[in-house]
Amino acid sequence: MKKEKIIIVGAGLCGSLLALRLAQHGYQIELIEKRPDMRKASISAGRSINLAFSDRGMKGISLVGLAEKVNELCIPMHGRMLHDQAGNSQLSKYSGRKGEYINSISRGGLNSLLLDEVEKHANVKMYFNYNCTDVNVENASAKFVHNETSEVLNLEADFLFGTDGAGSVVRKSMMKNPNLLFSFSQNFLTHGYKELSFPPTDNGNYATEKGALHIWPRGENMLIALPNLDGSFTVTLFLAYEGGKYNFNNLTNPEIVDEYFKEVYPDAYALMPDLKTEYFENPTAPLGTVRCLPWHFEKTLIMGDAAHAIVPFYGQGMNASFEDVFVFDQILQEEEFDLNTSFERFSKERKKDGDAIADLALDNFHEMKAHTAQEVFLAKRKLELELEEKFPNEYYSKYSLVTFKEDIPYSEAIQQGRAQDLVIQEMIKKGLLPEDMSLEDKLNRIKKATKMAMNNELIFNLEEI
Amino acid sequence: MKKEKIIIVGAGLCGSLLALRLAQHGYQIELIEKRPDMRKASISAGRSINLAFSDRGMKGISLVGLAEKVNELCIPMHGRMLHDQAGNSQLSKYSGRKGEYINSISRGGLNSLLLDEVEKHANVKMYFNYNCTDVNVENASAKFVHNETSEVLNLEADFLFGTDGAGSVVRKSMMKNPNLLFSFSQNFLTHGYKELSFPPTDNGNYATEKGALHIWPRGENMLIALPNLDGSFTVTLFLAYEGGKYNFNNLTNPEIVDEYFKEVYPDAYALMPDLKTEYFENPTAPLGTVRCLPWHFEKTLIMGDAAHAIVPFYGQGMNASFEDVFVFDQILQEEEFDLNTSFERFSKERKKDGDAIADLALDNFHEMKAHTAQEVFLAKRKLELELEEKFPNEYYSKYSLVTFKEDIPYSEAIQQGRAQDLVIQEMIKKGLLPEDMSLEDKLNRIKKATKMAMNNELIFNLEEI
């Protein structure tokens, strides 16, 4: 058994998985969460009810031996079901390879499972309902106040992890420390989001295709829907706060909400009997990206959303956090459980991947709401699926690199994926991948140009000026 | 006379110029500064003693009718004097056009002049030594505490400006406001800086060439020097906090400081009799960039470093702040002194220029410490000076676009300047601007390629793949 005492602030998805893994290694863990125990209380409104779970997340889950149990919570989604305004729909598969799909999973179900497993370890103490009010990042001590009783809890340890999400108190304590030059950014989109739902049909079935992630792309705004195990869908509206005909600032009464959905999302509207109630009961939440550097200072390390909160458009938020735990665990073992060195290495080595997935998620916002409905995007996707089907070991689309190729880091996926996307779209526009060209020739042409684009060799053709 | 009452937090360079201009329009001004009145107390250590002043700054100064008085404070610097490690020096002029140079100016002298002018207006009340502790950005009220007496000053007004610098309390109040989605970033370089000096020679002369900005580029680190009116130079060391043989973290005793300067800056070392005293007495300060959005909320607007703190490497910090006042004044007059509309327009229209000068300043850090000593950079500069001399209305280098072409915004200067730099360096490397080509042909080739690069037409030559 390892003797070091560790405080983990935040028992959400990342903190719970981290606590479980460190408990398996034998550390003495104090796991503190500001919310009530979700296994006893209902999940707070406004937090996303289901999430996309895929291969990078599974690396973390497999590490702690929970792959089988987590699979039981998963609903496979094989592609994007695109719905146009006339009510037509079309499935755009996520991959041309067999067995590559993402999953819809319940946040509450998964978090509860992790907490149940953590609880089996005698070397973990869990505290719920304790709000972290102050952290000493230099000596790994922290103060907590009980939400109801106002009881104060002072904890001291050898090391402290902040897995307390986008609004991280641990991160704010790092930012306030006068001995640390802390680079930090928070950036909000001009869009917010609101959760709605499709209930199951009267006979208990799913109201629309279960095995897909549904998207209603409308240029500047969009609606998406993910299935739940109980037959319902959680629906999310992404809408600008201002500008355009309809926005969050002017959808202020039931009549105009009704008008908006009827006009813009008629087929989805038909599946939302509780639309007007839900619209006004559920909060409108902002969409932000948080970046910072360093992720560690002295005895403290932040991880997950606390270090790299991202917008939800790549379905990688939870997956990135779980991969954090996986990567940290690898480093920890390489460093023979020296936490000081592991903190430093994790912060240095993982930062570029946090930045990459933040950028990828922002890219995908634009792709989902606009491009998924565009001709060149559809032509690119069609070609990529053909390539992935015929050359499963040779070709990976950007989406596949990010989502299914979990053995390369996000930072490599973004570099190759962006170059590839640029090249293919440009080639399609210029007619350089004609119908009568063999798939193999297309593959070779794309690979060659992608390589040149990654080396910046495509930029200049100055001789011709 | 205009009746609106305006609070201006911060009487540094930006706040003083703004107060003067708004006083000229007849507003009722309360100008509050946390430092003592600099005309009575000495300037605090660690703040840069002299600054680069150029055409964009002059727009703001001319607006308030102080061009002549400010010119008396200026020492023209015609180019960069580059010093190599062997003690050789070479002047690289800032422009090939006649009469284009920048100036070294005393921060204290300029700020004092502005305060003297402000004081002549009966509609301005000035307060020194009052620290702003709280701002209500929605109703333009603020609380101040006297640094010595702890006396509390509560002020209320119709509008409030935050010109309180990089650590702006007004900006922090905007960030804390729950009704505002405030995007914000602070980013630090891995380098810090420390001010040193060359005193005048024994007979009162300048220790080195007066009419230049001196640079000792050493790859990762550098020394610079700007002249003062009293015959001295203010010298600034830019050095990494860690890494390399010498850094701020390991220059911890007089012997190693001596060794470092003797080895790396031998000719400058010979001019610094007080090096070891100054090195340990003067603080090491960080180099940061602050960006945020929006710059206004309800009755409050931030301006200058409070809105866009930048690193000092383009010599544009003060110039950008003075240009802020000029641009705001233009908008204010166009909007017929409607401050609400002017706040909104200024924030929207000026933001892109704040971002551009922040990026330009970061670009120049790399150029100054490394590229100024490189062959392709020197070849580019030589060609650009020839072009500017022969075609003064046709060609502007990036440096000239930013520094001397004050009628185009920073955001246009960066776009054209970056494209031009890329194109020229690439053409020189590829031998596409040979000796025997006429200067006019070179100009045309560069202009054509720059235009294509700006339209992204250079990126693809896919037909050849």
Side-chain angles (χ1 to χ4, degrees):
Chain A
M1 291 297 271
K2 296 184 183 60
K3 298 237 174 66
E4 282 109 324
K5 195 170 156 186
I6 290 174
I7 295 172
I8 300 177
V9 181
L13 292 164
C14 184
S16 304
L17 181 66
L18 177 69
L20 180 54
R21 186 57 184 162
L22 293 179
Q24 290 175 342
H25 287 309
Y27 289 102
Q28 306 301 309
I29 315 278
E30 313 249 21
L31 177 62
I32 305 94
E33 167 60 39
K34 73 172 174 188
R35 294 191 178 79
D37 188 339
M38 61 168 57
R39 295 166 300 175
K40 296 165 194 164
S42 66
I43 197 163
S44 65
R47 303 197 70 205
S48 50
I49 289 161
N50 54 24
L51 298 163
F53 177 72
S54 51
D55 297 22
R56 290 178 197 270
M58 190 48 104
K59 283 199 295 183
I61 290 297
S62 298
L63 184 70
V64 295
L66 290 178
E68 214 167 304
K69 284 187 183 169
V70 168
N71 269 331
E72 286 170 23
L73 301 174
C74 287
I75 304 176
M77 299 184 290
H78 297 275
R80 296 163 165 170
M81 185 70 81
L82 303 172
H83 300 262
D84 73 15
Q85 208 150 344
N88 306 309
S89 61
Q90 186 181 349
L91 184 71
S92 169
K93 283 176 65 186
Y94 282 126
S95 169
R97 270 175 296 275
K98 290 214 167 55
E100 286 190 347
Y101 52 83
I102 65 173
N103 302 282
S104 176
I105 196 166
S106 150
R107 175 198 287 273
L110 180 54
N111 209 338
S112 297
L113 168 65
L114 289 169
L115 290 173
D116 286 344
E117 295 295 322
V118 169
E119 214 162 37
K120 293 178 183 168
H121 290 263
N123 50 332
V124 184
K125 264 198 226 171
M126 295 204 286
Y127 305 79
F128 292 96
N129 253 318
Y130 277 95
N131 206 4
C132 184
T133 57
D134 195 32
V135 179
N136 183 327
V137 293
E138 298 187 31
N139 71 8
S141 66
K143 184 182 166 186
F144 302 86
V145 178
H146 195 279
N147 286 328
E148 287 157 14
T149 64
S150 297
E151 188 201 337
V152 172
L153 176 68
N154 284 301
L155 294 178
E156 289 178 14
D158 300 303
F159 295 92
L160 183 146
F161 288 81
T163 49
D164 50 343
S168 174
V169 173
V170 179
R171 186 186 67 230
K172 285 175 188 163
S173 299
M174 287 170 73
M175 189 154 166
K176 273 187 239 158
N177 191 298
N179 300 318
L180 173 63
L181 286 186
F182 190 66
S183 290
F184 167 79
S185 76
Q186 63 182 35
N187 286 290
F188 293 98
L189 294 182
T190 51
H191 289 60
Y193 73 94
K194 188 185 283 285
E195 290 197 340
L196 306 164
S197 73
F198 299 162
T201 59
D202 290 341
N203 49 19
N205 290 331
Y206 287 90
T208 182
E209 167 61 38
K210 173 192 181 186
L213 189 153
H214 297 263
I215 311 181
W216 289 257
R218 294 295 181 267
E220 269 314 295
N221 307 304
M222 68 171 169
L223 202 66
I224 70 166
L226 278 77
N228 298 313
L229 286 172
D230 68 359
S232 68
F233 283 83
T234 301
V235 178
T236 310
L237 170 66
F238 295 95
L239 180 64
Y241 284 104
E242 53 186 49
K245 186 173 170 192
Y246 301 101
N247 57 53
F248 273 125
N249 289 345
N250 71 21
L251 290 184
T252 51
N253 63 61
E255 292 69 38
I256 190 170
V257 168
D258 212 64
E259 176 189 310
Y260 172 55
F261 278 86
K262 248 189 214 166
E263 180 181 322
V264 179
Y265 307 108
D267 52 346
Y269 174 79
L271 307 177
M272 293 192 276
D274 305 322
L275 169 64
K276 281 167 282 185
T277 316
E278 288 181 337
Y279 189 93
F280 291 101
E281 276 181 1
N282 293 346
T284 304
L287 293 158
T289 301
V290 171
R291 300 170 204 253
C292 59
L293 184 77
W295 289 355
H296 80 107
F297 184 59
E298 300 289 342
K299 301 296 176 188
T300 297
L301 176 70
I302 51 175
M303 210 183 251
D305 285 0
H308 49 76
I310 63 178
V311 294
F313 304 105
Y314 230 108
Q316 286 290 321
M318 169 180 58
N319 293 292
S321 293
F322 284 180
E323 197 180 52
D324 277 0
V325 176
F326 180 87
V327 169
F328 181 77
D329 191 70
Q330 263 188 327
I331 292 172
L332 188 65
Q333 296 196 44
E334 281 170 26
E335 297 299 333
E336 295 175 343
F337 299 96
D338 176 334
L339 281 156
N340 285 309
T341 316
S342 300
F343 277 19
E344 199 175 326
R345 270 193 61 193
F346 181 76
S347 175
K348 277 198 182 140
E349 295 172 21
R350 182 70 174 158
K351 162 70 177 165
K352 62 184 186 315
D353 296 313
D355 281 341
I357 190 57
D359 289 338
L360 283 161
L362 289 165
D363 283 3
N364 229 34
F365 175 49
H366 303 293
E367 182 169 317
M368 283 174 84
K369 68 188 170 55
H371 304 176
T372 45
Q374 282 173 7
E375 212 169 297
V376 62
F377 176 82
L378 295 173
K380 177 175 80 74
R381 284 304 296 162
K382 182 169 167 288
L383 174 59
E384 291 191 291
L385 293 172
E386 287 168 9
L387 290 170
E388 290 190 327
E389 196 181 345
K390 185 142 180 203
F391 306 103
N393 301 314
E394 293 278 314
Y395 189 78
Y396 287 82
S397 70
K398 181 169 106 170
Y399 190 87
S400 290
L401 289 166
V402 173
T403 310
F404 305 120
K405 198 133 174 64
E406 73 273 15
D407 52 337
I408 68 164
Y410 286 126
S411 49
E412 282 177 33
I414 194 173
Q415 219 194 339
Q416 185 181 332
R418 278 183 172 175
Q420 218 166 251
D421 269 9
L422 204 66
V423 158
I424 298 181
Q425 297 199 36
E426 216 48 42
M427 283 182 158
I428 289 173
K429 280 187 212 158
K430 292 191 170 171
L432 296 170
L433 299 168
E435 280 294 314
D436 58 0
M437 185 185 268
S438 77
L439 209 52
E440 190 167 358
D441 287 348
K442 288 180 183 171
L443 176 69
N444 290 333
R445 197 159 226 207
I446 292 166
K447 289 190 103 169
K448 188 175 168 196
T450 300
K451 205 171 162 190
M452 289 178 73
M454 286 172 74
N455 293 333
N456 283 324
E457 287 169 28
L458 279 183
I459 294 178
F460 284 103
N461 182 28
L462 293 172
E463 285 79 357
E464 294 183 359
I465 304 289
Chain B
M1 292 294 272
K2 295 183 183 62
K3 298 237 174 67
E4 282 108 325
K5 194 171 155 188
I6 290 175
I7 295 172
I8 299 177
V9 181
L13 292 164
C14 184
S16 304
L17 182 66
L18 177 70
L20 180 54
R21 186 57 184 162
L22 294 180
Q24 289 175 343
H25 286 310
Y27 289 103
Q28 306 302 310
I29 314 279
E30 314 250 21
L31 177 62
I32 305 95
E33 168 60 39
K34 72 171 174 188
R35 294 191 178 79
D37 187 342
M38 60 168 59
R39 296 165 301 173
K40 296 166 194 162
S42 66
I43 197 164
S44 63
R47 303 197 70 206
S48 49
I49 289 162
N50 54 25
L51 297 163
F53 176 71
S54 53
D55 298 22
R56 291 178 195 270
M58 191 47 106
K59 283 199 296 184
I61 291 297
S62 299
L63 183 71
V64 295
L66 289 178
E68 215 167 304
K69 285 186 184 171
V70 168
N71 269 330
E72 287 169 21
L73 301 175
C74 286
I75 304 176
M77 299 183 290
H78 298 277
R80 295 163 166 170
M81 185 71 81
L82 303 173
H83 300 263
D84 71 16
Q85 208 149 343
N88 306 307
S89 62
Q90 187 183 349
L91 183 72
S92 169
K93 283 176 65 186
Y94 282 126
S95 169
R97 269 174 297 273
K98 290 212 169 56
E100 285 189 347
Y101 53 82
I102 65 173
N103 302 281
S104 177
I105 196 166
S106 149
R107 174 198 289 274
L110 180 54
N111 208 339
S112 297
L113 169 64
L114 289 169
L115 290 173
D116 286 346
E117 295 295 322
V118 170
E119 214 161 38
K120 293 177 182 168
H121 291 264
N123 49 332
V124 184
K125 265 199 228 171
M126 294 204 286
Y127 305 80
F128 292 96
N129 253 317
Y130 278 95
N131 205 4
C132 184
T133 56
D134 194 33
V135 179
N136 183 327
V137 295
E138 298 187 30
N139 72 6
S141 66
K143 185 182 165 185
F144 303 86
V145 178
H146 195 280
N147 286 328
E148 288 157 11
T149 64
S150 297
E151 188 202 336
V152 171
L153 176 68
N154 284 301
L155 295 176
E156 290 178 11
D158 300 304
F159 295 93
L160 184 146
F161 288 80
T163 50
D164 49 344
S168 174
V169 174
V170 179
R171 186 187 66 229
K172 285 175 189 163
S173 300
M174 286 169 73
M175 190 154 164
K176 272 187 241 159
N177 191 298
N179 300 319
L180 173 62
L181 284 186
F182 191 65
S183 290
F184 167 80
S185 76
Q186 63 182 36
N187 286 290
F188 293 98
L189 294 183
T190 50
H191 289 59
Y193 74 95
K194 187 186 283 286
E195 291 198 338
L196 305 163
S197 73
F198 298 163
T201 60
D202 289 342
N203 49 19
N205 290 330
Y206 286 89
T208 182
E209 167 61 38
K210 174 190 180 187
L213 188 153
H214 297 263
I215 310 182
W216 290 258
R218 295 294 182 267
E220 269 312 295
N221 306 303
M222 69 171 169
L223 202 67
I224 70 166
L226 278 77
N228 298 312
L229 286 172
D230 67 0
S232 68
F233 283 83
T234 300
V235 178
T236 310
L237 169 66
F238 295 95
L239 180 65
Y241 284 104
E242 54 185 48
K245 185 174 170 194
Y246 300 101
N247 56 54
F248 273 124
N249 289 345
N250 71 21
L251 290 183
T252 51
N253 63 61
E255 292 69 37
I256 191 171
V257 169
D258 213 63
E259 175 189 310
Y260 172 56
F261 278 85
K262 249 190 210 162
E263 179 181 322
V264 179
Y265 307 107
D267 54 344
Y269 174 78
L271 307 176
M272 292 192 276
D274 306 321
L275 169 64
K276 281 168 282 185
T277 316
E278 288 182 339
Y279 189 92
F280 291 101
E281 275 181 1
N282 293 346
T284 305
L287 294 158
T289 302
V290 171
R291 301 169 203 252
C292 59
L293 185 76
W295 290 354
H296 78 108
F297 184 59
E298 299 290 341
K299 300 297 176 187
T300 298
L301 176 70
I302 52 176
M303 209 182 255
D305 286 359
H308 50 74
I310 62 178
V311 293
F313 304 106
Y314 229 107
Q316 285 291 323
M318 169 179 59
N319 293 293
S321 292
F322 284 0
E323 197 179 55
D324 277 0
V325 176
F326 181 87
V327 170
F328 180 76
D329 191 71
Q330 265 189 328
I331 292 172
L332 188 65
Q333 296 195 45
E334 281 170 27
E335 297 300 332
E336 296 175 342
F337 299 94
D338 177 335
L339 282 156
N340 285 310
T341 315
S342 300
F343 277 18
E344 198 175 327
R345 270 194 61 194
F346 180 77
S347 175
K348 276 198 183 140
E349 294 172 22
R350 182 68 174 159
K351 162 71 179 166
K352 64 184 183 314
D353 296 313
D355 282 339
I357 190 56
D359 289 337
L360 283 161
L362 289 166
D363 282 2
N364 229 33
F365 174 49
H366 304 292
E367 181 168 318
M368 283 176 85
K369 68 186 168 59
H371 305 175
T372 46
Q374 282 173 7
E375 213 169 297
V376 61
F377 177 82
L378 295 172
K380 175 175 82 76
R381 283 305 295 162
K382 182 169 168 288
L383 173 60
E384 290 192 292
L385 292 172
E386 288 169 10
L387 291 170
E388 291 190 328
E389 195 180 347
K390 184 142 182 203
F391 307 102
N393 301 315
E394 292 279 313
Y395 189 78
Y396 289 82
S397 70
K398 182 169 104 170
Y399 189 86
S400 291
L401 289 166
V402 173
T403 309
F404 305 120
K405 198 133 176 60
E406 72 274 14
D407 53 337
I408 68 163
Y410 286 126
S411 49
E412 282 176 34
I414 193 173
Q415 219 194 340
Q416 185 180 332
R418 278 183 171 176
Q420 219 165 251
D421 270 9
L422 203 67
V423 158
I424 298 181
Q425 297 200 35
E426 215 47 41
M427 283 182 157
I428 289 174
K429 281 187 212 158
K430 293 193 171 169
L432 296 171
L433 299 168
E435 280 294 313
D436 59 358
M437 185 184 268
S438 77
L439 208 51
E440 190 168 356
D441 286 348
K442 287 180 185 171
L443 175 69
N444 290 333
R445 197 158 227 206
I446 291 167
K447 288 190 102 168
K448 188 174 169 196
T450 300
K451 204 171 163 189
M452 287 178 74
M454 286 172 74
N455 293 334
N456 284 324
E457 286 169 29
L458 280 184
I459 295 178
F460 284 103
N461 182 26
L462 293 172
E463 285 78 357
E464 294 183 0
I465 305 288

